Amino acid sequence: MSLYVSRPSSQVSRFYDYIEHFTQTRFWQLKLSLVLFGFVLLTTYPNYLDILIDPAPRTTFSYFFDKVASPLSPVTGVQEITHGAKIAFRLTVPLLAKLMNIGFTATGKDLVLVFLLQSLLLFPFLLMLIRLLNRYMDSVSTVLLVGACASTYIAKAFFWDYHCWFDGYAYFFLLGGMFFRPRWLVFTSLLLACWTDERAVIALGGIYLFHCLRERDFELSSFKELLPQRPLFHTSAIVLLVGITYVLGRWSLGYFYGLNTPAGENVGVSLSLMPFQIKHRLIGLLFTFEGLWIVFALAILVLREQRNRFLSNMFLLGMFLHALVAYSVYDISRSLAYAFPLVIIAAILFSKYYAHNKKQIMMLVMLSCVLIPTHYVVYYIVQIPWTLLSFEEFSLIFKHF
């Protein structure tokens, strides 16, 4: 495969040299995580702070406080079309809040603490992402790709959360399932992700594919190779165990405690929503991953060039399933972002099989992510404001104290 990229200018070459020098310093991964954490903080208005000026947070977020107080009780008192009606099986964060005694007084400050913890998780998330990618990619490409991720909704979700979505928690646990090597940690992390949001169960497919590839030195060309050869030792088998455990656990909770999640077009969870969503919200595909789509597309092209149609088709099928779920509900961005494990695998495969102009391509990916404003696409399109431009919102919060 040939992909022409013009020769970098001397200024760009010096920039690559600077990154190369930076990655040879002590604790560069920690330092980069801290810098990118600060970047996301400065470019993402933490809208959960608005809870502090809510006159009745106990009423507004009654569904969450009730879930904290009684995690195994069915959700009541909310309309089925709302987010609150769909949290019956989303137990990880309510149980965490209960363990921390958050929600005992049911105040806005209580709830903000849960969101603050989610925001702080972005730092170890970035650190894990850097170290995971750097296992398989050169340091310069790693820096540029993680910088790109920090400029998309994947990172912004750790701050942009007002309605108790808690996708940041789920993203953190999903990445942990890719990063950790001890099998018990992989199992625990992925199971916590599944009990945070059902979309994480769909993401298990991408993580299973990642471990199958890792166990075979990223060589996979047939369906037979997708099956764990040593179930007691391979991490890929642990991912399957997580899925089985979650399904059995969910069935048990539904049977013994009457928990259920409403579904149907009238509550915003149905395949019948797809025609309208695709017609009016197709831009949600672009805004979710922005420039990271370049990496995904090039990985497909590289696999096709390698005549590995099986793996390229697996990638396309995985992304199609995530898009199917995303366009069968209202909140497109946060749903499709659960496909980020596929993007990570695509970057690794692209780096492995394509040796030319990698740095220039990763620079293009990062710049496109930085320059495209981050949007959240739900039933309408919302541009996530930069914190630096949110003085008016912050002034209202400061007046509250």
Side-chain angles (χ1 to χ4, degrees), residues 325-395:
V325 171
Y327 280 85
S328 297
V329 295
Y330 291 138
D331 38 8
I332 294 170
S333 293
R334 57 181 289 252
S335 299
L336 189 56
Y338 277 84
F340 77 86
L342 292 175
V343 176
I344 292 175
I345 305 170
I348 293 172
L349 289 174
F350 173 72
S351 181
K352 178 180 176 64
Y353 290 114
Y354 188 78
H356 304 289
N357 302 319
K358 282 192 296 187
K359 295 177 183 178
Q360 293 92 319
I361 292 172
M362 290 302 179
M363 173 67 83
L364 174 64
V365 170
M366 187 187 72
L367 288 176
S368 60
C369 289
V370 171
L371 295 177
I372 297 175
T374 307
H375 291 76
Y376 173 72
V377 181
V378 60
Y379 203 68
Y380 45 87
I381 301 174
V382 181
Q383 182 174 322
I384 299 177
W386 280 30
T387 306
L388 294 174
L389 303 177
S390 303
F391 295 115
E392 183 177 353
E393 289 87 348
F394 277 115
S395 65

Side-chain angles (χ1 to χ4, degrees), residues 20 38-39 42 51 56 82 98 142 168 179 201 206 243 253 332 345 354 383-384:
E20 185 71 41
F39 169 76
L42 290 176
I51 298 172
T82 63
K98 193 177 186 69
T142 297
F179 174 78
V201 182
L253 291 177
I332 294 170
I345 305 170
Y354 188 78
Q383 182 174 322
I384 299 177

Side-chain angles (χ1 to χ4, degrees), residues 28-90:
W28 72 269
Q29 296 172 332
L30 279 170
K31 290 185 283 188
L32 179 61
S33 301
L34 184 60
V35 169
L36 291 178
F37 178 87
F39 169 76
V40 178
L41 175 62
L42 290 176
T43 56
T44 312
Y45 174 63
N47 59 339
Y48 58 77
L49 294 178
D50 293 346
I51 298 172
L52 296 174
I53 56 177
D54 190 317
R58 179 63 181 89
T59 301
T60 305
F61 302 96
S62 60
Y63 57 88
F64 178 75
F65 288 119
D66 291 344
K67 196 66 178 174
V68 173
S70 185
L72 298 182
S73 296
V75 178
T76 59
V78 293
Q79 295 181 344
E80 287 190 334
I81 198 172
T82 63
H83 166 74
K86 302 178 179 68
I87 66 169
F89 296 99
R90 300 175 188 178

Side-chain angles (χ1 to χ4, degrees), residues 47-262:
N47 59 339
Y48 58 77
L49 294 178
D50 293 346
I51 298 172
L52 296 174
I53 56 177
D54 190 317
R58 179 63 181 89
T59 301
T60 305
F61 302 96
S62 60
Y63 57 88
F64 178 75
F65 288 119
D66 291 344
K67 196 66 178 174
V68 173
S70 185
L72 298 182
S73 296
V75 178
T76 59
V78 293
Q79 295 181 344
E80 287 190 334
I81 198 172
T82 63
H83 166 74
K86 302 178 179 68
I87 66 169
F89 296 99
R90 300 175 188 178
L91 302 174
T92 298
V93 180
L95 287 173
L96 175 64
K98 193 177 186 69
L99 182 66
M100 298 172 61
N101 206 29
I102 292 174
F104 179 73
T105 57
T107 64
K109 291 181 180 180
D110 276 353
L111 188 53
V112 166
L113 286 175
V114 181
F115 287 114
L116 282 174
L117 179 57
Q118 176 175 244
S119 295
L120 292 174
L121 284 178
L122 178 62
F123 178 76
F125 176 88
L126 291 169
L127 182 59
M128 287 194 299
L129 182 59
I130 293 167
R131 291 182 172 176
L132 176 64
L133 290 173
N134 203 209
R135 291 172 185 171
Y136 312 103
M137 299 169 55
D138 65 90
S139 297
V140 174
S141 296
T142 297
V143 171
L144 295 173
L145 187 65
V146 177
C149 292
S151 303
T152 65
Y153 182 79
I154 301 170
K156 303 297 181 73
F158 287 80
F159 289 90
W160 182 256
D161 190 343
Y162 176 82
H163 297 286
C164 300
W165 297 323
F166 300 129
D167 294 313
Y169 285 96
Y171 298 164
F172 172 80
F173 292 130
L174 285 172
L175 184 62
M178 301 177 73
F179 174 78
F180 296 132
R181 291 293 177 84
R183 291 187 291 276
W184 71 271
L185 268 179
V186 173
F187 178 85
T188 302
S189 188
L190 292 179
L191 196 60
L192 287 172
C194 292
W195 291 115
T196 303
D197 195 288
E198 293 84 350
R199 296 165 181 83
V201 182
I202 309 299
L204 290 181
I207 296 174
Y208 178 78
L209 179 61
F210 168 76
H211 285 295
C212 284
L213 285 165
R214 183 182 60 80
E215 291 159 0
R216 293 164 177 80
D217 195 27
F218 288 88
E219 299 284 346
L220 192 64
S221 58
S222 68
F223 182 80
K224 183 179 179 180
E225 294 176 348
L226 277 177
L227 303 177
Q229 302 300 310
R230 303 170 64 193
L232 295 179
F233 300 98
H234 280 178
T235 309
S236 55
I238 299 298
V239 182
L240 292 178
L241 181 61
V242 170
I244 294 171
T245 303
Y246 175 78
V247 170
L248 292 177
R250 186 180 175 106
W251 177 85
S252 300
L253 291 177
Y255 183 81
F256 291 106
Y257 293 95
L259 301 186
N260 69 89
T261 299

Side-chain angles (χ1 to χ4, degrees), residues 255-285:
Y255 183 81
F256 291 106
Y257 293 95
L259 301 186
N260 69 89
T261 299
E265 186 175 358
N266 59 321
V267 299
V269 182
S270 174
L271 291 174
S272 60
L273 293 174
M274 289 190 63
F276 178 85
Q277 290 287 71
I278 292 175
K279 181 178 180 180
H280 298 280
R281 309 286 181 264
L282 192 58
I283 194 67
L285 286 172

